[in-house]
Amino acid sequence: MSVKYPHLLAPLDLGFTSLRNRILMGSMHTGLEEHKAGLGQLAAFYEERAKGGVGLIVTGGFSPNLRGRLHPFSAEFSKPKHAQAHKVVTQAVHKHGGKIALQILHAGRYAMHPFAQSASAIKAPIAKFSPNEMSERQIYKTIDAFANSAKLAQEAGYDGVEIMGSEGYLLNQFICKRTNMRYDEWGGSYENRIRFPLEIVKAVRKVAGEKFIIIFRLSMLDLVEEGSTFDEVVTLAKQLELAGVTIINTGIGWHEARIPTIATQVPRGAFTWVTEKVRPHVNVPIVTCNRINTPHDAEEILASGQADMVSMARPFLADPYFVQKSEQDQANLINTCIGCNQACLDNVFKGKRASCLVNPFACRETELLAEPTVKSKNIAVVGAGPAGLACATTLAERGHQVELFERSDRIGGQFRLAMQIPGKEEFRETIRYFANRIEETGVKLHLDTEANADLLREYDEVVIASGVEPRKVAIDGISQSSKVIDYQTLIKEKTFVGNKVAIVGAGGIGVDIATMLTEPTDHHLDDWLYEWGIDKEINYPGGLYPYPDSFSDKTVWVLQRRQGRVGKGPGKTTGWIHKRTLEKRGVGLMGGVSYEKIDDSGLHITQKGEPRLLDADTIIICAGQESVRPFEQSWAEFGEKLHVIGGADYAGELDAVRAIRQGVELAVKL
Ligand code: NAP
Ligand code: SF4
């Protein structure tokens, strides 16, 4: 066992079985659960993680019946044929000494179909359909359905099940007053409201016997009005133990909560204190979660006694070998999850298969393979931004001789800018990872080197990954004004900014710059919790009190020419966090403007036909990017051996997901 992470890597004795370490790979829906070709790809996905050493894997949510499906075509686990089909998954995990539990999830009122059911007929703010109130008969049938799924899971070879009782799904809907208005024995008092989850646990234990892991995902902090209080959470935790659960996992926040819980803006380990509060009240192992992404942090959490296990989900998309690298004291080589959601949750919410921004191989284990090359070539890569780094290191890993040319004095490209934005510090981890990968794979790095045709002519292949530069905009008076600066220069040179700032462009970068300028100084975890109105005592129902607006002392306007909503940035699951943050800080978000001129008095605009002067001291241009294409006039002479990727290929709607994916996809082909 590594001396470095003794708590994290210690086995956990569950009495009838044991786990090889304290790491639970949390449930994630990947989109492979419903794959047309069957469960082979899902098995390959879990197999890789089991091979990487994770102690206990929890699958994505499977519904115990038709009505519990999240989407009309979401996966169900209710028939013998499902058990048969899942054997490929359990065998793949067991082959490598791992354990795996099937998550049983009933969506309740979050179901995206007209057959949604809940404790009461109250529509969720994020749902399209109103649920029907469940009859008593339907309640009993649903309890049976959970038990049936558990029994089938056992037949499929699963080591256990996780009963999804958090995040605002059906069981949570019974537990909280917010969604349970019943007057029968399943509603009213707290004792009545927790009857349904407890009966489910008892029924599952009854059919599965003593030697089967039952995890209950307990919502310890609902983060919605009329959620549970701390006393209620503890009452339920104790009752769950009596009902026969093996492990209690922590759930934080309903899906409809308007508080970020896993995005990169959330400080690392921001919610482990919640698990710590509950832990002394139960005797079963308890798991903590949310924004834990390094073995160092996980070790500290366990060593300080906050929990018995840590759950990490997205970090296993980013790096299947997280555990093995921790065991071998190679944490520097872990490809760290940066919490961006851009290729995992954003994809799932768009109905696409999950993957990972920093690891495009995730969920494509059978399709995207970096196999050793049969013919080693000399390959030059120009540009050490995300696309160039991913390409160069994958090429070298495959056995090519790779030289990487970067015109600046350091690697990282746009990530080096991003990591300076408050709440995006995690981007630094990706640069650290690639710096170590360059060494590990033997890529020859040339910094401060401007590549040209003469330098590159002799290589077998040339990859241009030279990235982007800020777009220049045409506004009257812009070139004469000393007030104007582009975002890249601002971040790189940390230029002084006045107290009144106009930001031209409301894309991801305009929003990031506004966040940076209005960020409070000396911001710690407790300040963050306070800012979002999170009650650390959990005395208020749901652990929530009305959060205060924290106006910045700077006046900032973020502008776009398009009509419509301003300030959400590009992230499907994170856009609302950016917008809400800016609103809370009093930033002016203005759409439908036209830029007239810039002079000593500021930026002159027209909005809704009315002229207006924004008396800005500083005007920051965040108007997108243009490709950087060095020695383009000579590209033709390189013929087919020249390849262009990332922002150099196409700057519009550039994001790091595309840049890194393009880099890797090219590298596996050359
Ligand atoms: P962007 O998203 O393309 O936004 C550019 C902004 O500038 C738009 O608001 C656009 O709005 C405005 N604009 C464009 N041309 C203009 C012109 N000629 N004059 C004045 N305004 C102009 O670009 P970005 O903000 O630089 O972001 C680049 C990429 O980085 C994004 O595509 C995104 O994927 C990625 N990124 C992502 C995140 C994230 O949190 N996920 C954060 C930062 C960046 P109007 O044309 O309506 O004025
Ligand atoms: Fe983490 Fe981003 Fe990868 Fe999702 S896409 S697993 S949040 S790094």
Side-chain angles (χ1 to χ4, degrees):
M1 187 200 302
S2 161
V3 274
K4 206 141 187 211
Y5 311 111
H7 295 85
L8 186 65
L9 300 175
L12 180 65
D13 185 3
L14 297 174
F16 58 92
T17 187
S18 75
L19 306 177
R20 58 184 164 182
N21 52 51
R22 304 301 179 103
I23 301 163
L24 180 141
M25 174 174 148
S27 175
M28 278 180 288
H29 187 83
T30 62
L32 295 173
E33 293 79 359
E34 294 86 17
H35 201 269
K36 288 194 287 289
L39 295 172
Q41 284 194 325
L42 188 65
F45 170 71
Y46 290 131
E47 176 167 4
E48 186 91 346
R49 275 81 197 157
K51 205 162 135 194
V54 66
L56 176 60
I57 293 172
V58 179
T59 67
F62 287 85
S63 175
N65 59 20
L66 195 69
R67 283 176 175 256
R69 294 178 183 207
L70 192 52
H71 296 279
F73 300 107
S74 291
E76 196 178 320
F77 194 87
S78 58
K79 299 188 173 68
K81 70 174 183 188
H82 298 137
Q84 191 57 32
H86 275 244
K87 283 186 178 161
V88 62
V89 172
T90 57
Q91 283 162 4
V93 171
H94 291 155
K95 202 157 73 185
H96 300 283
K99 291 203 159 51
I100 183 161
L102 178 102
Q103 190 189 70
I104 312 175
L105 179 150
H106 191 303
R109 70 178 194 156
Y110 283 164
M112 305 288 182
H113 53 69
F115 308 109
Q117 291 179 319
S118 185
S120 300
I122 307 168
K123 187 172 163 296
I126 56 170
K128 284 203 182 104
F129 297 94
S130 283
N132 288 317
E133 178 173 311
M134 287 167 80
S135 67
E136 192 140 25
R137 188 166 162 270
Q138 285 171 328
I139 290 176
Y140 282 116
K141 281 188 81 169
T142 307
I143 295 169
D144 289 346
F146 271 81
N148 174 53
S149 290
K151 186 75 196 143
L152 290 169
Q154 214 172 22
E155 283 168 27
Y158 281 103
D159 302 281
V161 290
E162 178 173 79
I163 297 169
M164 183 37 140
S166 66
E167 322 303 289
Y169 289 116
L170 181 70
L171 275 57
N172 224 175
Q173 292 159 23
F174 267 85
I175 295 167
C176 295
K177 269 195 207 140
R178 175 183 182 80
T179 38
N180 186 341
M181 311 286 273
R182 302 179 74 98
Y183 294 104
D184 58 8
E185 63 178 287
W186 306 95
S189 67
Y190 191 63
E191 194 192 347
N192 280 354
R193 282 183 275 129
I194 61 177
R195 191 182 308 281
F196 181 54
L198 290 174
E199 289 303 320
I200 287 174
V201 172
K202 286 180 201 162
V204 168
R205 180 52 81 207
K206 195 167 163 202
V207 297
E210 290 307 309
K211 295 184 176 169
F212 192 63
I213 300 171
I214 301 178
I215 310 165
F216 190 91
R217 186 101 187 260
L218 169 63
S219 187
M220 297 189 193
L221 186 69
D222 292 317
L223 296 179
V224 288
E225 289 83 9
E226 297 185 280
S228 299
T229 61
F230 182 65
D231 289 347
E232 290 175 335
V233 171
V234 168
T235 303
L236 178 52
K238 288 179 171 170
Q239 296 279 334
L240 286 167
E241 188 179 339
L242 289 174
V245 299
T246 323
I247 295 172
I248 294 178
N249 192 3
T250 304
I252 302 287
W254 289 32
H255 284 318
E256 66 202 64
R258 303 315 284 159
I259 295 187
T261 53
I262 60 165
T264 192
Q265 296 87 341
V266 177
R268 284 187 184 176
F271 295 102
T272 54
W273 56 272
V274 183
T275 317
E276 184 184 16
K277 273 172 88 74
V278 177
R279 189 174 182 234
H281 300 278
V282 290
N283 300 303
V284 291
I286 188 160
V287 189
T288 194
C289 61
N290 288 45
R291 284 288 283 121
I292 302 166
N293 61 349
T294 69
H296 174 268
D297 290 354
E299 174 66 20
E300 287 209 330
I301 288 163
L302 296 181
S304 66
Q306 289 188 300
D308 301 283
M309 288 184 79
V310 288
S311 167
M312 288 178 267
R314 297 171 300 167
F316 284 101
L317 282 177
D319 197 331
Y321 292 91
F322 182 102
V323 181
Q324 199 179 84
K325 290 175 186 174
S326 308
E327 284 166 350
Q328 296 170 356
D329 204 359
Q330 291 186 323
N332 258 352
L333 283 170
I334 291 178
N335 196 0
T336 305
C337 164
I338 58 175
C340 64
N341 285 358
Q342 278 176 249
C344 52
L345 276 183
D346 282 359
N347 273 11
V348 171
F349 274 73
K350 287 181 218 155
K352 288 169 35 183
R353 189 194 310 181
S355 190
C356 173
L357 180 146
V358 298
N359 175 26
F361 294 97
C363 299
R364 296 170 74 191
E365 285 74 13
T366 58
E367 301 163 2
L368 190 62
L369 300 165
E371 287 179 333
T373 176
V374 280
K375 182 172 175 278
S376 177
K377 298 181 191 173
N378 290 319
I379 303 181
V381 178
V382 178
L389 288 166
C391 187
T393 53
T394 309
L395 284 166
E397 183 191 349
R398 294 188 52 226
H400 292 298
Q401 303 305 310
V402 183
E403 302 205 32
L404 175 59
F405 298 95
E406 166 58 43
R407 71 175 167 176
S408 78
D409 61 354
R410 54 195 71 187
I411 64 164
Q414 296 292 307
F415 270 32
R416 199 159 276 286
L417 301 180
M419 74 185 198
Q420 297 183 58
I421 304 294
K424 290 203 164 172
E425 295 83 359
E426 294 285 4
F427 283 75
R428 191 183 303 274
E429 297 290 352
T430 307
I431 300 176
R432 181 264 308 149
Y433 165 73
F434 277 120
N436 291 316
R437 280 285 283 164
I438 284 174
E439 264 192 34
E440 192 198 18
T441 56
V443 170
K444 253 196 190 164
L445 174 65
H446 305 273
L447 296 172
D448 293 313
T449 308
E450 190 88 44
N452 57 45
D454 290 341
L455 181 73
L456 303 175
R457 209 160 270 129
E458 298 307 316
Y459 288 90
D460 300 322
E461 308 280 355
V462 173
V463 180
I464 305 289
S466 42
V468 291
E469 61 188 3
R471 174 182 287 135
K472 297 191 174 48
V473 301
I475 304 175
D476 246 12
I478 193 165
S479 52
Q480 296 91 315
S481 174
S482 58
K483 290 173 183 279
V484 180
I485 186 167
D486 70 77
Y487 72 88
Q488 189 164 302
T489 313
L490 173 85
I491 300 176
K492 273 190 182 158
E493 298 181 8
K494 306 205 171 7
T495 319
F496 173 79
V497 170
N499 271 332
K500 292 186 175 181
V501 184
I503 298 176
V504 172
I509 294 189
V511 168
D512 277 355
I513 295 290
T515 308
M516 182 175 86
L517 297 178
T518 53
E519 182 74 3
T521 46
D522 264 347
H523 213 222
H524 300 293
L525 174 59
D526 278 354
D527 303 312
W528 185 86
L529 294 168
Y530 174 78
E531 195 186 4
W532 286 96
I534 297 169
D535 162 30
K536 271 192 94 174
E537 299 305 317
I538 325 185
N539 286 333
Y540 286 85
L544 197 66
Y545 58 78
Y547 51 76
D549 283 336
S550 53
F551 287 98
S552 158
D553 51 7
K554 274 194 172 29
T555 303
V556 177
W557 300 276
V558 180
L559 312 165
Q560 74 181 26
R561 295 170 302 180
R562 254 169 303 150
Q563 296 285 355
R565 293 210 283 181
V566 188
K568 283 191 89 171
K572 177 102 182 146
T573 61
T574 50
W576 66 271
I577 306 172
H578 294 293
K579 187 165 163 42
R580 187 66 198 114
T581 302
L582 296 186
E583 283 168 355
K584 272 152 54 67
R585 295 178 184 179
V587 171
L589 303 170
M590 301 168 71
V593 305
S594 49
Y595 305 111
E596 305 303 341
K597 67 172 177 180
I598 295 172
D599 61 20
D600 288 346
S601 48
L603 174 63
H604 297 259
I605 59 167
T606 307
Q607 194 187 26
K608 293 185 186 149
E610 297 287 320
R612 188 171 163 192
L613 167 66
L614 304 178
D615 54 343
D617 313 314
T618 308
I619 299 162
I620 305 171
I621 308 300
C622 304
Q625 288 92 15
E626 284 157 0
S627 298
V628 175
R629 297 161 76 93
F631 65 94
E632 192 176 1
Q633 66 288 357
S634 312
W635 285 8
E637 70 174 89
F638 285 80
E640 287 190 355
K641 73 176 189 178
L642 187 132
H643 316 268
V644 189
I645 58 171
D649 172 31
Y650 174 61
E653 292 164 23
L654 170 69
D655 66 32
V657 179
R658 170 163 71 87
I660 293 182
R661 194 187 59 228
Q662 263 189 318
V664 166
E665 284 176 348
L666 174 64
V668 299
K669 279 194 244 151
L670 291 181

